[in-house]
Amino acid sequence: MADRLKAFFAPRSLAVVGASDNAYWGRNAITNLKIIDFDGQVVPVNPKRKTVLGIECVTSLRDLSKPVDLVYVAAPIDAVSSVLSDAGHVGIRNAVIISAGFGEAGVEGQRLQASLKDDAQEKGITILGPNCPGFINFTDGVSAYGQEIPSSMPKGSVGIILQSGALTSVILKLARTHAVGLSKVVCMGNEAIVRAVDVLEYMIADEATQVIAMFLEQIRDGDHFLQLARRALEAGKAIVVFKVGRTPEGQRAALAHTGAVAGDDAVVEAALRQSGVVRVHSLEELLITAGLLSRVPPLKGARMAVITGSGGACDIIADRASDEGLQLPSFSPGTLAELKAYLPKFATVQNPLDTAAVDTVRDTGTAATAMDVVAEIVSRDPNFDFVLYNGFNVVPQVAGSAEDQEKHTARIAHVGHMLRQSEKPIIPVSLSCMEVGPFASSLYDANDLFMLGGIEFGLKAIGHAVRWNQARTKVHTAETPRKTVPLTVLASRKGAWSEFEGRQLLDANDVPLVPATLVQTVDEAVKASESLGYPVVLKICSAAIAHKSDIGGVALNLRSADEVRTAFASVEQAGRREAGDKIDGVLVSPMRPRGVELFAGVTVDPSFGPTLAVGLGGVWIEVLRDVSLRVLPVSEADVVEMLSSLRARPLLDGARGGPKVDIAKVAQVICKIAHASLSIGPNLQAFEVNPIWALDDRVEALDVLVVTD
């Protein structure tokens, strides 16, 4: 599909069905081609007119002497089928369909869309849409797009993929406002044939696109998406995603709009993070982050120097830097001395740095301001990875006198040269996201400067850029999780397994287990207890009972034969009340001393597949809800990161005199548990070991629940 889309998005001839001098979609589709300077063939199709906007029409696609590369279908829904038939008849192989009323419109619309898809595939026609305003290819100067394209759109290396056509106009205006240069913009519509993952794959391969920004209501093919995300990370291309539907209300809205089921947001968050995708939470954050990643060299560390002319701005930036995990080291002794000699005596020389109105007391004798000189001094300091420079707010929004224009033009040219010559990134930032005006923008564009849009979005973007580069560095050194061969015999059963069967599966995957003996009689229970050593635990064993303790099917800390006899009768009776004759017996295990109880569970997310959750075990899993998530497979290093991210992390180190655990050993065992769950194959529904008992370097699974379908 990626190869097919390369031709799809760069047609040299294009027909517009429904072309018009006054109808919104049919008019814009033609005028946009003029705005974007398309130099190929344009054929309006309208049976009622001889010309549209001065271009000669044909009455039908069947009147074409040869097929065009792409047809833009701005026709009513009841005419789409016949247009597609005409396209197939003359050999057109690519179509954009804007018509609504298909899959997003209920059962009948879904039936129509399925028929449209079958018809297109039979004719060999690739469709973008339906319910789709189209695409814009700024790189090659071509569009098949029915909304208005703003004038003076900046070209660049940011590709946009949107699962909302109506937001495209907003995205284009934001990109123009913040000088974010675009390569391609693709609206997905209902994704009858071309899916968002197909366009993502195309943009990863596209040489003109270096950063991919996505607005997603649903990730339909999660496994493919994550594979592509890792491929992009390895290629050094950032993916920035604004995924909506993270609240119950948002999920219902996404369901109504796309006909797709919104996945669990916690899994989405984990899946995106582990694959190096930058997740944002607003359109402004999406565009500004993508712009930064496309225009600034990789930020190779989190050590940031800040130069501003405002003490209040220093405070705001310091707070936001802490939120983003950015460091604010002190100036090196050499830089400190140089700054003290240059700045006014009353300046407080520290990072973040308020330059104390240095521009009013120093004349540099060049086009540069004194703040620019300060930025250059700080950029040489080895204590920092990059410099955040808030010295551009003095550039007026509108052009002033000829003298002022000349002064500012020379100054920004000097700054552009300084930024290009600097050994480390110097990142300009405005005080607010609405501060940059047309005159300032023209100077930034002329000198290839990217201005971060305000402190709030600017610091978020920088934090994202630092974390993305860390993920990019990590991907080249990460260990590869071992592959799994499904256990098809065990996985063929349906429903919950007994604990004894679950233990067999864990044992086959080398997961350390607390010893256990399955018994049928009270005498066998006493004998097993004496063999294992007191104190012991008795548990009913039945596939029909998922939560044994809830029905009285567990007895703990039994210290004698008499206690075992009494408990056996109680546990067995509780089990038979719940499951009748569907019990395998009673499991006898030694009672372990106080340790740390952990939890490892695997569920199957509808988008991303088997997903591992790790947290504190026992009753705490539901009380604290302190879990870390990763889509499988995972490595031991991944699990160490998961354990380290828990709020309860200090408990693993023996906080307040508690028991300690060997985190590396726990991670090793949890990896084996995850591997055991994957061995079940596609029939897996749920797999849970709770608790995992850990004390020093001893780690054992105490209980297991397996459910297959």
Side-chain angles (χ1 to χ4, degrees):
M1 180 64 82
D3 290 338
R4 183 75 180 264
L5 292 183
K6 186 175 181 180
F8 186 101
F9 291 124
R12 301 315 305 153
S13 58
L14 192 146
V16 178
V17 175
S20 170
D21 287 320
N22 45 36
Y24 181 85
W25 299 100
R27 181 192 70 239
N28 288 339
I30 300 291
T31 57
N32 284 336
L33 288 164
K34 296 180 179 179
I35 290 172
I36 206 165
D37 295 326
F38 178 60
D39 60 2
Q41 179 191 14
V42 181
V43 182
V45 181
N46 190 322
K48 298 180 180 180
R49 302 187 64 90
K50 293 184 178 180
T51 64
V52 169
L53 298 172
I55 307 173
E56 186 177 351
C57 281
V58 296
T59 59
S60 164
L61 291 175
R62 291 177 182 259
D63 296 331
L64 295 172
S65 58
K66 62 178 181 178
V68 292
D69 294 334
L70 182 141
V71 58
Y72 187 78
V73 184
I77 185 172
D78 54 4
V80 170
S81 179
S82 64
V83 172
L84 210 62
S85 178
D86 293 345
H89 178 78
V90 297
I92 297 172
R93 293 293 174 258
N94 300 306
V96 175
I97 300 178
I98 71 165
S99 312
F102 286 95
E104 82 284 0
V107 175
E108 177 59 20
Q110 292 166 10
R111 186 192 66 77
L112 289 173
Q113 183 165 309
S115 177
L116 175 73
K117 177 179 178 179
D118 291 343
D119 192 21
Q121 289 180 324
E122 182 181 342
K123 293 177 171 63
I125 300 175
T126 298
I127 288 177
L128 181 65
N131 187 29
C132 166
F135 71 85
I136 309 167
N137 180 343
F138 290 100
T139 305
D140 298 308
V142 59
S143 75
Y145 181 67
Q147 299 179 106
E148 296 177 7
I149 299 177
S151 60
S152 304
M153 285 297 301
K155 295 182 181 180
S157 60
V158 176
I160 308 284
I161 301 171
L162 297 157
Q163 284 181 335
S164 171
L167 286 181
T168 311
S169 295
V170 179
I171 288 289
L172 292 175
K173 291 173 183 176
L174 275 173
R176 185 179 63 177
T177 299
H178 293 287
V180 177
L182 305 181
S183 59
K184 279 83 178 174
V185 177
V186 181
C187 308
M188 296 311 308
N190 290 2
E191 303 186 31
I193 291 180
V194 177
R195 306 165 300 164
V197 288
D198 299 322
V199 180
L200 174 60
E201 186 169 11
Y202 156 74
M203 287 192 180
I204 292 171
D206 180 36
E207 292 182 0
T209 301
Q210 292 303 312
V211 177
I212 302 159
M214 308 179 74
F215 174 84
L216 299 177
E217 293 171 327
Q218 171 63 17
I219 301 174
R220 289 182 172 86
D221 189 345
D223 185 59
H224 190 192
F225 180 91
L226 295 185
Q227 291 177 25
L228 292 174
R230 295 184 189 102
R231 186 190 303 176
L233 195 62
E234 291 170 354
K237 292 193 176 187
I239 300 175
V240 186
V241 169
F242 180 15
K243 167 68 174 66
V244 294
R246 63 190 181 93
T247 64
E249 292 78 12
Q251 289 176 15
R252 284 194 292 272
L255 177 65
H257 190 55
T258 66
V261 179
D264 181 78
D265 191 66
V267 177
V268 172
E269 183 78 28
L272 297 183
R273 182 175 59 250
Q274 78 185 80
S275 56
V277 174
V278 175
R279 188 179 188 186
V280 299
H281 298 284
S282 70
L283 294 175
E284 294 86 350
E285 190 182 353
L286 178 72
L287 263 294
I288 292 171
T289 300
L292 176 69
L293 287 164
S294 71
R295 298 290 295 275
V296 173
L299 302 184
K300 297 180 179 179
R303 302 176 303 165
M304 179 175 71
V306 178
I307 303 166
T308 178
S310 163
C314 287
D315 295 335
I316 296 171
I317 292 171
D319 287 345
R320 289 298 290 113
S322 177
D323 296 339
E324 296 297 330
L326 302 172
Q327 303 165 22
L328 295 169
S330 299
F331 296 117
S332 66
T335 301
L336 192 65
E338 197 171 354
L339 290 174
K340 284 184 176 180
Y342 193 81
L343 293 171
K345 298 296 183 185
F346 55 84
T348 302
V349 184
Q350 62 184 16
N351 185 32
L353 177 64
D354 175 4
T355 57
V358 66
D359 288 343
T360 65
V361 297
R362 275 198 178 272
D363 184 0
T364 64
T366 69
T369 66
M371 277 188 75
D372 298 335
V373 174
V374 171
E376 195 166 3
I377 292 171
V378 173
S379 71
R380 296 192 294 264
D381 193 320
N383 285 1
F384 305 107
D385 298 305
F386 62 94
V387 179
L388 184 67
Y389 185 29
N390 178 224
F392 285 60
N393 54 309
V394 295
V395 181
Q397 296 197 32
V398 295
S401 66
E403 182 182 355
D404 282 345
Q405 290 184 49
E406 183 179 356
K407 179 184 71 173
H408 289 298
T409 300
R411 186 258 171 138
I412 295 303
H414 175 91
V415 170
H417 178 76
M418 177 182 74
L419 267 59
R420 288 189 292 273
Q421 295 299 311
S422 176
E423 293 184 359
K424 59 174 65 75
I426 301 175
I427 305 172
V429 61
S430 59
L431 284 169
S432 76
C433 63
M434 297 301 292
E435 187 178 0
V436 179
F439 176 62
S441 292
S442 68
L443 295 184
Y444 302 152
D445 292 344
N447 291 279
D448 196 30
L449 299 181
F450 178 68
M451 173 69 68
L452 271 179
I455 293 173
E456 174 65 21
F457 293 120
L459 266 294
K460 282 185 176 181
I462 289 173
H464 289 315
V466 169
R467 289 186 289 273
W468 176 79
N469 195 64
Q470 291 170 344
R472 182 189 176 193
T473 302
K474 178 184 172 184
V475 75
H476 295 292
T477 59
E479 58 181 294
T480 303
R482 59 182 177 141
K483 294 183 179 180
T484 302
V485 178
L487 298 177
T488 54
V489 175
L490 282 172
S492 63
R493 65 171 302 148
K494 180 178 181 179
W497 298 15
S498 71
E499 184 180 353
F500 184 75
E501 291 168 325
R503 286 174 58 88
Q504 286 181 306
L505 179 57
L506 291 179
D507 185 56
N509 284 272
D510 299 322
V511 177
L513 294 157
V514 63
T517 302
L518 183 65
V519 300
Q520 304 297 327
T521 67
V522 66
D523 289 337
E524 289 177 354
V526 171
K527 183 178 180 181
S529 300
E530 291 173 347
S531 174
L532 293 168
Y534 292 108
V536 296
V537 177
L538 300 189
K539 294 185 288 184
I540 194 68
C541 184
S542 170
I545 304 173
H547 300 288
K548 298 176 280 292
S549 59
D550 292 349
I551 57 107
V554 179
L556 304 174
N557 205 26
L558 307 175
R559 297 183 172 275
S560 67
D562 289 341
E563 290 184 7
V564 168
R565 292 180 185 279
T566 302
F568 182 90
S570 176
V571 165
E572 186 182 41
Q573 186 178 20
R576 294 195 181 280
R577 279 198 306 267
E578 184 71 16
D581 293 333
K582 296 179 180 179
I583 62 172
D584 298 327
V586 174
L587 281 172
V588 184
S589 296
M591 183 81 182
R592 290 307 188 211
R594 180 192 174 197
V596 175
E597 291 188 344
L598 295 162
F599 160 91
V602 176
T603 55
V604 181
D605 181 80
S607 292
F608 297 106
T611 303
L612 173 68
V614 171
L616 285 188
V619 298
W620 299 113
I621 186 67
E622 295 180 3
V623 174
L624 298 180
R625 303 187 68 83
D626 179 20
V627 297
S628 181
L629 298 167
R630 292 287 190 283
V631 175
L632 294 180
V634 294
S635 66
E636 291 179 22
D638 293 329
V639 179
V640 169
E641 282 188 6
M642 295 174 74
L643 293 167
S644 299
S645 71
L646 297 173
R647 296 192 304 274
R649 172 67 171 81
L651 295 179
L652 307 184
D653 293 328
R656 301 185 67 85
K660 297 181 181 180
V661 302
D662 184 332
I663 291 179
K665 185 66 177 293
V666 172
Q668 184 184 73
V669 171
I670 291 177
C671 266
K672 291 179 178 179
I673 292 170
H675 191 262
S677 73
L678 291 179
S679 72
I680 292 173
N683 293 341
L684 173 68
Q685 280 195 313
F687 194 106
E688 177 178 308
V689 178
N690 183 28
I692 301 167
W693 173 80
L695 180 62
D696 298 325
D697 62 350
R698 299 168 62 195
V699 183
E700 291 178 339
L702 300 191
D703 203 346
V704 58
L705 170 67
V706 180
V707 182
T708 52
D709 192 3

